[in-house]
Amino acid sequence: MKKLHLPFFAVICLLAATLFSAGDAMAAGISVKLVNYLGNRTAVDFTTAGTFQVAGNNTRIAGADRFEVAYNVADNGWSKADNVILVNYQAFADALAAAPLAYQLNAPILLTRPDELSSDLVIKISELGATKVYIIGGTGSVSSFIEDNLKLQSLAVERIPGSNRYEVAQNVAAKIGNSSSAILASGEVFSDALSIAPYAAKNGIPILLTSKNTLPSFTSAALAGKSSALVIGGTGSVSSNVYNQLNQQMPNQVRRISGANRYEVSANIIKDPSLNLNAQTVYLSSGDTFADALTGSVLAAKQNSPLLLTSRQQLSSEIKQAMIDTKTENVNILGGTGSVSSNVEANLPNGYYLKSGTTYTVKINNGDLGLYNGATQIKNFGTEPITVNSSYSTANRLDILTGTQRSYLGTIEFDKEGSYVRPMSKDLPIEEYIKGVVPREMPASWNEEALKAQSVAARTFVARYSPGTIINDTTSYQVYGGYVVDPYTDKINRVVAATSGQVLRQSDGQLITAFFSSSNGGMTLTNTNTYGTSKVSYLGTKADPYDLAATSNPYRNWSYSIKKTQIDMTGKDLTNPSNWWTTVSENVNNANIIANMKTFLTTWKDASGNYYVNPNNEIKIVDVPSISFTTSFSDNTIINGSVTLGYYLKDKTTGTYMMENGKIKKYSLTVSRRAYDIRSMIGTDVMRGPYVKSVNQTTDAFTVNGGGWGHGMGMSQYGANEMGKQGFSYQQILQFYYPNIVLGK
């Protein structure tokens, strides 16, 4: 293997892998707007393979207090209601059995204080058009004063009383009517009864209550004639003694849904296969207080949706997993942020699950962003982005079909960018991002050591950005092509893994700007040479024999010629340009260059901030009397260029010619700028880089000879490949192109 002899300092730098921490270099992730391969489109088609979901619909039914929440629940479920159920806002025990009756009566559940009939409650009952109120509980829960005043409002009032909570539940069950089944829950805590309430209500099954260790006589009487029972809660709520007593009464027809806590009980209810609950939409309420869950339970039953409980500040792992397992798409939150916090809402895992292999479309319609399956709109997101979520895995792939098909892993966000749909690959792991960059910036078939050097350069480039930074997939940053399975996938994975976390730094620990270009034409350039900025320590001007030795490099040398005379004006009447303006054109062999020059003149500005030529003018370039470039330079030399043009102008709006002393005026303009700018003037497809080796002229033309493609700074990709082929390691390649760097993590 050929060795590259390095100075002692460089060897020390290359060995200093632990000199600096990787923490500040490796951002947690990067987000990449997909522009390069997609362009600007008002609609983007995609398919998925694996598990993807669109962030779901989360709505909140809130209010200033539990009374207002109950009113708003009623508004969401009933425009009119003949009946209303009324319960004490503090006496949860009386209210636990109310949901099945409320569902049967198609009645919202409203709350009251025990001794005060609020005007808001009277107004809400009137707005609903109710004619009858059912009071749940005895006068100790809802006073006679309330009952009497409701009657004064011309309302029929029926009380379902009881000497205690167990008798109230028995009497409510009797009001519901015959049912061969019963649900048994603790009368000492509210959570289990409320978690099962929507199911019980929907199926007309009464909820009966028990103490932990003893089956009350009222409950036992209510169970007479029942053939089956479902016990809700673990033995801490309903003991084995009570369960066994039921089982003696209904042999082999008693079943329990339990859990380690109220949240797990709630989760196990919606996951229980025998209940066959549809959890596409769920209601979510605080498990710390009962009022919102109670009033929301009958609305959940009307919507054929289960009810889940959560702690106020944190979504329990059991509830989160239950939503994932049952593929919950929509969540209706009961109560304000004081009951169910914003943190809980932010961590909801629900969403619309996309079908693998199905084509979906994100498009803009009437200014709104929408997700479609064919012509059917799944959801209108308005001005909000559409987030298509998945875990980052090769098993989960999103294929964008518009134009050239490209595949992406992880979460993709579709947003509006002006009038266009703009996808973005969100929070890419850095090493995965590098895998998508390397084979787009350097052919994957090239030498592995060169590809390793490219990996380090690409990683160093992106390491400068902090977590959450948004870049794009064009050459403005780095070309990112997403995820591809091809014959070189294993090779790319291998070279990226071999350099994992490695970046390039200056001796003071600062990350370098790891410039690289396709070719430098045999001369490495500094940022001063190309951009005119103050020279950095890790770039230098020196001959690059490896770039020139790369026989496959088509950019080692290039040249272009420009005729001095572009339009022969012999015999043209300069006093009457309309006679010849439309019939003459510049030299056909220079057509591409001339077109680029005209675009430059009308779109670039001079040192004073003015366009070289007013964009409203049509230009005829008559001659190019002078071209010159800096061809001998050092580290701190700006490579400059100068082009002189002679031309005529015509106002495109008025059709008038720019005249002087009765003749069409000939303008002379010398554009003196950095060669990198002149490259744009000539055309980057013609003048491939700023490195000009010589300018030759004959009596009728100038020929500019140069080399390289791109800015010419830092690593030459063709040169790196040649070094790798000659046996150099990627560390040696990097040291050659970035002198005085520290390679490490």
Side-chain angles (χ1 to χ4, degrees):
M1 177 180 292
K2 185 174 181 178
K3 300 293 185 182
L4 177 63
H5 296 287
L6 302 175
F8 177 76
F9 174 74
V11 174
I12 294 298
C13 288
L14 288 169
L15 293 176
T18 60
L19 183 58
F20 301 106
S21 168
D24 60 340
M26 289 295 98
I30 202 78
S31 294
V32 185
K33 286 188 177 184
L34 307 180
V35 179
N36 192 51
Y37 300 105
L38 187 66
N40 295 324
R41 300 178 184 273
T42 57
V44 176
D45 298 331
F46 69 92
T47 64
T48 62
T51 303
F52 283 84
Q53 66 174 160
V54 177
N57 256 339
N58 297 331
T59 59
R60 187 185 286 271
I61 303 174
D65 53 31
R66 64 193 65 188
F67 302 102
E68 189 173 326
V69 170
Y71 300 151
N72 291 335
V73 166
D75 289 342
N76 274 268
W78 294 264
S79 57
K80 294 293 180 183
D82 294 333
N83 303 300
V84 166
I85 300 287
L86 191 62
V87 302
N88 183 330
Y89 82 107
Q90 290 179 321
F92 75 83
D94 289 343
L96 292 181
L101 177 61
Y103 181 80
Q104 185 182 84
L105 296 172
N106 192 24
I109 298 175
L110 300 179
L111 305 176
T112 182
R113 291 181 172 84
D115 298 307
E116 177 187 341
L117 181 63
S118 74
S119 59
D120 289 340
L121 176 58
V122 173
I123 292 170
K124 179 52 63 179
I125 293 172
S126 175
E127 288 175 348
L128 289 167
T131 58
K132 187 170 184 177
V133 176
Y134 290 83
I135 296 175
I136 307 299
T139 56
S141 292
V142 179
S143 68
S144 298
F145 173 81
I146 300 283
E147 183 177 353
D148 293 341
N149 276 274
L150 287 171
K151 291 176 180 177
L152 291 176
Q153 304 297 321
S154 300
L155 292 166
V157 179
E158 180 177 340
R159 183 187 292 273
I160 303 177
S163 58
N164 57 37
R165 63 195 66 185
Y166 307 110
E167 187 179 13
V168 171
Q170 179 194 20
N171 292 335
V172 171
K175 188 70 179 177
I176 293 171
N178 293 329
S179 171
S180 61
S181 300
I183 289 172
L184 194 71
S186 171
E188 297 166 354
V189 295
F190 64 85
S191 53
D192 296 341
L194 289 180
S195 290
I196 197 65
Y199 169 79
K202 187 72 177 179
N203 291 278
I205 303 172
I207 298 174
L208 300 173
L209 305 178
T210 182
S211 61
K212 176 181 177 180
N213 294 310
T214 305
L215 190 66
S217 59
F218 297 113
T219 304
S220 183
L223 286 167
K226 306 296 184 187
S227 59
S228 64
L230 178 62
V231 176
I232 305 299
T235 56
S237 297
V238 180
S239 69
S240 297
N241 180 57
V242 171
Y243 185 86
N244 292 335
Q245 188 176 341
L246 287 173
N247 207 31
Q248 289 174 4
Q249 186 174 339
M250 308 170 212
N252 302 317
Q253 296 301 313
V254 181
R255 192 167 66 86
R256 184 195 293 270
I257 299 177
S258 64
N261 54 48
R262 64 189 65 188
Y263 309 115
E264 189 172 0
V265 171
S266 177
N268 289 340
I269 287 171
I270 74 164
K271 293 195 296 182
D272 191 297
S274 66
L275 301 187
N276 194 31
L277 295 177
N278 180 358
Q280 179 177 345
T281 297
V282 302
Y283 283 75
L284 183 69
S285 182
S286 170
D288 301 322
T289 58
F290 85 98
D292 297 340
L294 172 67
T295 57
S297 62
V298 65
L299 177 59
K302 280 175 66 73
Q303 301 298 329
N304 194 28
S305 300
L307 174 68
L308 293 171
L309 302 180
T310 180
S311 67
R312 182 177 286 114
Q313 294 297 337
Q314 185 171 356
L315 184 68
S316 75
S317 58
E318 297 91 348
I319 296 300
K320 187 171 186 176
Q321 191 59 50
M323 288 185 183
I324 294 171
D325 292 343
T326 57
K327 291 182 165 41
T328 297
E329 295 179 7
N330 310 301
V331 177
N332 295 317
I333 301 170
L334 297 167
T337 55
S339 297
V340 179
S341 70
S342 298
N343 179 62
V344 169
E345 183 175 4
N347 284 281
L348 292 173
N350 60 299
Y352 176 85
Y353 283 81
L354 301 178
K355 295 178 181 178
S356 186
T358 299
T359 299
Y360 296 92
T361 303
V362 174
K363 63 182 177 181
I364 297 173
N365 187 16
N366 295 323
D368 288 345
L369 201 61
L371 177 66
Y372 294 79
N373 183 350
T376 303
Q377 185 181 80
I378 296 169
K379 183 182 176 183
N380 183 346
F381 286 77
T383 58
E384 295 300 312
I386 301 174
T387 303
V388 183
N389 290 305
S390 77
S391 59
Y392 196 95
S393 165
T394 55
N396 300 323
R397 189 187 76 247
L398 186 146
D399 297 332
I400 292 182
L401 305 178
T402 308
T404 303
Q405 180 174 323
R406 297 281 167 177
S407 299
Y408 300 91
L409 307 182
T411 295
I412 305 295
E413 181 181 277
F414 295 86
D415 205 350
K416 286 176 62 179
E417 190 174 79
S419 58
Y420 302 114
V421 175
R422 179 63 58 213
M424 178 166 63
S425 189
K426 289 270 290 183
D427 300 323
L428 276 168
I430 291 296
E431 296 303 308
E432 299 302 317
Y433 169 75
I434 299 303
K435 291 176 185 177
V437 168
V438 170
R440 305 323 184 281
E441 291 287 2
M442 180 178 281
S445 61
W446 279 14
N447 180 270
E448 285 200 21
E449 294 303 305
L451 289 165
K452 290 176 186 177
Q454 182 68 64
S455 299
V456 175
R459 188 180 296 106
T460 303
F461 175 87
V462 77
R464 297 176 301 160
Y465 297 105
S466 59
T469 297
I470 297 173
I471 62 175
N472 66 41
D473 60 349
T474 72
T475 55
S476 297
Y477 294 90
Q478 295 182 121
V479 176
Y480 171 72
Y483 173 73
V484 176
V485 176
D486 63 21
Y488 297 104
T489 299
D490 289 343
K491 180 180 180 181
I492 294 301
N493 290 343
R494 186 168 60 249
V495 301
V496 173
T499 65
S500 178
Q502 294 184 8
V503 292
L504 301 172
R505 300 178 185 273
Q506 301 179 64
S507 59
D508 63 0
Q510 296 297 310
L511 290 163
I512 75 166
T513 302
F515 296 106
F516 56 86
S517 63
S518 181
S519 169
N520 58 35
M523 181 70 70
T524 66
L525 304 183
T526 68
N527 57 299
T528 306
N529 300 152
T530 300
Y531 294 147
T533 52
S534 298
K535 183 186 172 299
V536 295
S537 62
Y538 49 84
L539 296 177
T541 300
K542 64 180 177 182
D544 182 359
Y546 308 106
D547 186 277
L548 291 178
T551 56
S552 62
N553 180 2
Y555 312 113
R556 291 178 295 174
N557 296 291
W558 48 256
S559 67
Y560 61 89
S561 295
I562 299 179
K563 293 291 185 180
K564 293 180 178 179
T565 299
Q566 288 293 318
I567 300 175
D568 184 359
M569 296 302 297
T570 303
K572 303 295 189 298
D573 185 357
L574 301 183
T575 65
N576 194 5
S578 61
N579 286 342
W580 47 265
W581 185 271
T582 59
T583 62
V584 301
S585 59
E586 294 85 357
N587 188 282
V588 66
N589 295 318
N590 295 152
N592 186 31
I593 295 175
I594 294 299
N596 291 332
M597 284 181 169
K598 290 179 179 179
T599 299
F600 180 93
L601 293 176
T602 55
T603 57
W604 284 60
K605 294 181 179 180
D606 60 22
S608 299
N610 301 313
Y611 290 111
Y612 285 101
V613 173
N614 189 310
N616 198 45
N617 287 324
E618 181 182 347
I619 308 169
K620 294 286 186 183
I621 295 179
V622 181
D623 53 32
V624 184
S626 174
I627 290 182
S628 64
F629 286 96
T630 303
T631 57
S632 178
F633 50 88
S634 61
D635 280 6
N636 290 297
T637 303
I638 300 173
I639 304 176
N640 286 316
S642 179
V643 180
T644 300
L645 303 173
Y647 56 91
Y648 298 134
L649 298 177
K650 175 185 177 182
D651 189 303
K652 290 187 288 187
T653 301
T654 63
T656 58
Y657 301 94
M658 302 300 136
M659 307 291 286
E660 185 177 63
N661 299 325
K663 297 180 180 180
I664 190 167
K665 180 179 179 180
K666 183 179 180 182
Y667 292 86
S668 179
L669 173 68
T670 298
V671 177
S672 296
R673 300 184 70 123
R674 295 173 300 148
Y676 196 70
D677 293 340
I678 299 296
R679 177 178 178 240
S680 297
M681 181 181 182
I682 301 297
T684 57
D685 56 338
V686 177
M687 184 173 172
R688 298 284 189 172
Y691 174 35
V692 176
K693 300 180 181 182
S694 64
V695 179
N696 302 325
Q697 66 171 309
T698 61
T699 56
D700 65 342
F702 294 99
T703 299
V704 179
N705 305 297
W709 187 15
H711 49 61
M713 298 181 293
M715 184 174 68
S716 160
Q717 292 170 314
Y718 274 102
N721 188 49
E722 180 63 26
M723 288 184 75
K725 289 164 64 176
Q726 291 188 25
F728 292 104
S729 68
Y730 77 93
Q731 295 97 328
Q732 291 173 313
I733 293 171
L734 293 169
Q735 185 61 46
F736 177 77
Y737 286 110
Y738 307 104
N740 304 322
I741 51 87
V742 178
L743 173 63
K745 293 188 176 182

